[in-house]
Amino acid sequence: MGAFETISFKPEFCNGCNDCMSACAQAKAQSEDFVHSRIQIVPSEGGYELAMCRQCGDPECVLYCPAAALAKDAASGVIDWDATKCVNCLLCTVGCSYGGIVYAAPAGHVIKCDLCDGNPACVKACSHGALKHLRSARIYNEVGNLEDLFVPGLSGCQGCNTELIMRHTLRRIGPDVVLATPPGCIPGMGSVGYNGLAGTKVPVFHPLLTNTASMLTGVRRYYKRIGRNVKAVALAGDGGTADVGFQSLSGAAERGEEMLFICVDNEGYMNTGMQRSGCTPYGAWTSTTPVGERGRGKTQDAKNLPLLMVMHQCAYVATASTAYMEDLYDKLDRAIRACEHGFAYLHIYSPCTTGWRFPSDRNIEVARKAVQTNFVLLWEFDPEGGLRLTHPVEDPLPLAEYVKVLGKYRHLSEEQIAHIEASVARNVKFVKGLAADVPLAAARAGIA
Amino acid sequence: MDQTHYLIIGASHAALSALHAIRLHDAQNDITVVTRDESLPYSPTVLPYVVSGRSEPQRVFLRDEDYFARLKVKYRRGAAVRKVSPAQGAVKLADGEEIGFSKLLLATGAAPALPAIPGLTEGKFHVLRTLNDAIGLHQALPQTKQALVLGGGLIGMHAAENLAKGGAQVTVVEIQPHVLSGYFDADASGIIEKVFAANGVRLLTASRVAGLATYVDGWRATLGDGTLLDADLVLVATGVAPVTDYLDGSGIETDRGVLVDDWMRTNAGNVWAAGDVAQARGFFEGRKIINGILPDAVGQGRIAGMAMAGDAGAKPYAGGVPLNTYAFFGQQAVSVGVQEGALDPSGVEVHKQVDAEHASYLKIVLKDGRLAGIFGINAAFDPGIMWELILRRIDLGALKQAFLASPQQTARALMSKTWR
């Protein structure tokens, strides 16, 4: 049994417009009457709540059916109702504690959500972001069966998402690859090897901080010359990318070398003791931007490295977050395709539990808050389609929601927070200015 | 002697639920299911629809052969158990064969309890508990002009409706003042009775059959008041009783059913029981009751299966809550929880709206601001959510008035917020 798609509901975004119920009643019964809607929005203390089928993993309604009329489809995960077997006994409605299968008097039988064959009408009708069709099951089903190309037992800090990034990306890239992991957390946690054994099941090497992109240039060109299509991939930190590694990176990008350069951005040299990097944001504590009598953290803003790569007109550039895996995978797939014919650059945000000082169970939450507050923008670029936001946040959370979670910002004054807010606003405005006024799907249709 | 780790006697909801729970935790150890039936598993609840012809007998099976093969389960049909010996870890089948077990589940359900009516056993009468019973009734339908149903409980009423739909003139004789008195009060039963009367079914409540005699090709019944009633088909639906006869001499404690603790375990350490055969703690009463309903069979089966497999995720039985759904002539009656009479009167509130004209009824019983029972006819509410509100003892608090005004919407909002 694999993972399944589902519909998520965020009550905080629901304004009770009932467009979803109209769409469902229309789609399922060509009716205006909400009684036909498989999704039911109910008012609740000034807000709205939801009753609908959860397509449970171990569904009680199926076990309660005396007529074998309900069954969970092993492929889609949808609980199917068979009208020819149903005897209308309503016992399924006793089994469901979510109001997900309900007797509809005008229909004369029970009704339930069937996810509209994978294209739910309610989600399309929701213009407030309260309903979302979650397709991340695809990742599990497709990628779960691919071979993990790192060895077991990488020794990252507790709660770090870098191991997740490494394993997911390399699984997807596949075994025909030469991997470069310049100094930083990624070799530090054992990907290059330890005790005389390699940490990966593919060729991996440990370049200098300065020459990662140069060495990959040579590797890719060599294999091309001998007629083998071997991908050249870097998994590097932000220091090795934005600072000391930038010269070779910029050169390779400018020449259009065929490689995929993945920058795992944890906003500093975290592996060597949490020194600041060019990607460390304003106000952040690091061991070289300490907080004391006079020091109040870093005094400069971070450089926007992915935008710098856009200016190289790379074949593909994107930012991604592990809080949005579907988006990350879309971009990874595009980057993998792009690195066959040009320079692909993927910038993945990686909150650092140790260096940023937050509880180790909050990594994905921190990554999500960064996006929800617009501190981090998710977008992609290719020379044909231009730049477009893949996850625009129109109504961001207050920045305080993000900074208050992080120990590295604990000392911030009101002025410093105002400074960061202004930087975020400036960045949003700037990126939106660059973004093509083309719907995402249309832009994507234009590229490979 | 065949040896199996898990032995399950019975193959309906409790047995299948236990089997599912065991295999979720234990993929390896042998499981054997033995059933007295000759068929694949089916539900007694579907049988009235087999009688009417709405369900085809070959399409009511809850599992297929492939299911048992995939789960590596030995499924043995036509194997009735005659004797259980917990100390020896063995059962004896009707044909004398013995099967050894490490852990045993009794899920033998219930069988019709025959009333002591003089003359009943003289002729051929029907009951409705097995698929063969249902097929027999279905085949008898075309020749049936006058049907007599003894008992106005769920089985009797279901069967009466389906016999009527099959073209018979049906009379139901019920000893209580109202039909379905186990689930509904007089007002609700009154509405149901009216619908039956309107559909040509004669209901004789507060009546009893004093005697039966074979007469021409059928029967002649003498009612308590002396009235004579002819019928060419008699269906006895006066109740069911747990099947426990095979436990004689086993040392397993029984009362009306097999007594079990909150893990569905009997007094024998290697024997569990679940479903209609089990007598487990009632949610409201505290004492052990027989809550012979399909949902409880599934729930008890799961607990038994998890306990037998040693699944650490098992949770003890929350207690049996009476509930049922009853669809009749296109109308819906639902009952969840208990009537006010079953509760200690302090803190009990009853709210009732009856519209007999439109066959609409809603009754809500609260105890100390918490839901204890909700009963409806053609009333919109989600039984599963109401059951959960009762089990979780959710204090309606400030939402009480909203709940009384609109139980469905209020309960859905509570659900969505509370167990999101």
Side-chain angles (χ1 to χ4, degrees), chain B residues 330-417:
Chain B
Q331 328 250 355
Q332 282 72 41
V334 175
S335 137
V336 182
V338 288
Q339 304 279 356
E340 66 276 21
L343 296 166
D344 167 14
S346 78
V348 169
E349 287 173 63
V350 178
H351 302 264
K352 189 149 100 167
Q353 301 153 26
V354 184
D355 180 356
E357 198 60 34
H358 299 97
S360 153
Y361 170 98
L362 177 66
K363 174 174 171 181
I364 296 171
V365 179
L366 301 179
K367 164 93 173 156
D368 303 328
R370 293 168 169 84
L371 186 65
I374 180 165
F375 312 88
I377 297 177
N378 298 321
F381 61 81
D382 305 299
I385 296 178
M386 298 303 171
W387 186 14
E388 202 62 28
L389 287 180
I390 293 174
L391 288 177
R392 293 179 184 226
R393 296 189 170 87
I394 292 203
D395 189 347
L396 295 172
L399 291 173
K400 193 172 98 179
Q401 288 311 321
F403 182 82
L404 293 173
S406 175
Q408 183 172 48
Q409 296 285 75
T410 311
R412 282 177 173 178
L414 258 172
M415 169 278 294
S416 175
K417 256 207 282 280

Side-chain angles (χ1 to χ4, degrees), chain A residues 44 49 58 60 89 93 97, chain B residues 20 302 325 416-417 419-420:
Chain A
S44 164
E49 295 290 343
D58 192 9
E60 205 76 348
C89 71
T93 68
S97 53
Chain B
H20 179 67
R302 175 184 301 118
T325 57
S416 175
K417 256 207 282 280
W419 52 93
R420 221 196 282 289

Side-chain angles (χ1 to χ4, degrees), chain A residues 7-20 39 41 50 122-134 324 372 391-395:
Chain A
I7 292 172
S8 83
F9 173 67
K10 292 200 171 145
E12 62 271 30
F13 296 134
C14 179
N15 71 345
C17 71
N18 292 342
D19 286 354
C20 54
I39 180 168
I41 301 292
L50 169 88
C122 56
V123 176
K124 283 187 284 184
C126 179
S127 52
H128 302 95
L131 291 174
K132 209 177 156 203
H133 183 206
L134 297 182
Y324 299 87
Q372 288 172 336
H391 186 86
V393 179
E394 295 304 335
D395 191 14

Side-chain angles (χ1 to χ4, degrees), chain A residues 193-408:
Chain A
Y194 46 88
N195 293 348
L197 297 168
T200 65
K201 302 176 192 170
V202 297
V204 60
F205 69 99
H206 189 48
L208 297 176
L209 264 179
T210 50
N211 63 8
T212 309
S214 308
M215 289 186 74
L216 281 176
T217 297
V219 168
R220 171 72 181 178
R221 287 190 180 197
Y222 169 76
Y223 279 112
K224 230 182 151 175
R225 190 165 163 178
I226 64 168
R228 285 187 60 188
N229 182 12
V230 173
K231 293 182 193 77
V233 174
L235 274 166
D238 54 290
T241 309
D243 297 344
V244 267
F246 188 68
Q247 178 276 130
S248 66
L249 173 75
S250 175
E254 177 254 325
R255 295 190 305 273
E257 302 291 348
E258 295 167 2
M259 73 178 72
L260 168 55
F261 201 105
I262 299 172
C263 173
V264 179
D265 179 7
N266 57 15
E267 302 182 350
Y269 292 85
M270 296 309 176
N271 181 54
T272 48
M274 295 165 274
Q275 295 85 358
R276 59 102 75 193
S277 79
C279 286
T280 304
Y282 173 88
W285 170 92
T286 68
S287 60
T288 49
T289 57
V291 175
E293 271 176 40
R294 276 178 307 228
R296 309 303 296 164
K298 195 183 171 198
T299 53
Q300 303 87 8
D301 283 311
K303 69 167 93 166
N304 194 326
L305 189 61
L307 277 185
L308 280 170
M309 299 315 290
V310 166
M311 296 310 159
H312 286 73
Q313 292 291 306
C314 299
Y316 186 74
V317 182
T319 62
S321 162
T322 48
Y324 299 87
M325 287 304 281
E326 292 167 60
D327 182 72
L328 192 156
Y329 262 95
D330 279 341
K331 289 167 175 171
L332 183 60
D333 288 349
R334 285 180 168 74
I336 292 169
R337 286 197 293 271
C339 81
E340 304 260 1
H341 59 84
F343 195 94
Y345 178 81
L346 198 53
H347 194 96
I348 306 178
Y349 293 96
S350 175
C352 174
T353 49
T354 307
W356 300 10
R357 299 176 182 171
F358 61 90
S360 57
D361 60 346
R362 300 289 160 81
N363 198 306
I364 302 300
E365 194 50 37
V366 168
R368 185 176 292 116
K369 285 247 163 66
V371 173
Q372 288 172 336
T373 55
N374 271 339
F375 189 83
V376 156
L377 301 178
L378 299 181
W379 51 259
E380 66 177 1
F381 165 87
D382 70 276
E384 296 300 316
L387 187 146
R388 57 266 170 190
L389 291 157
T390 57
H391 186 86
V393 179
E394 295 304 335
D395 191 14
L397 293 178
L399 186 73
E401 293 288 312
Y402 175 62
V403 298
K404 78 177 179 197
V405 195
L406 305 175
K408 68 173 176 176

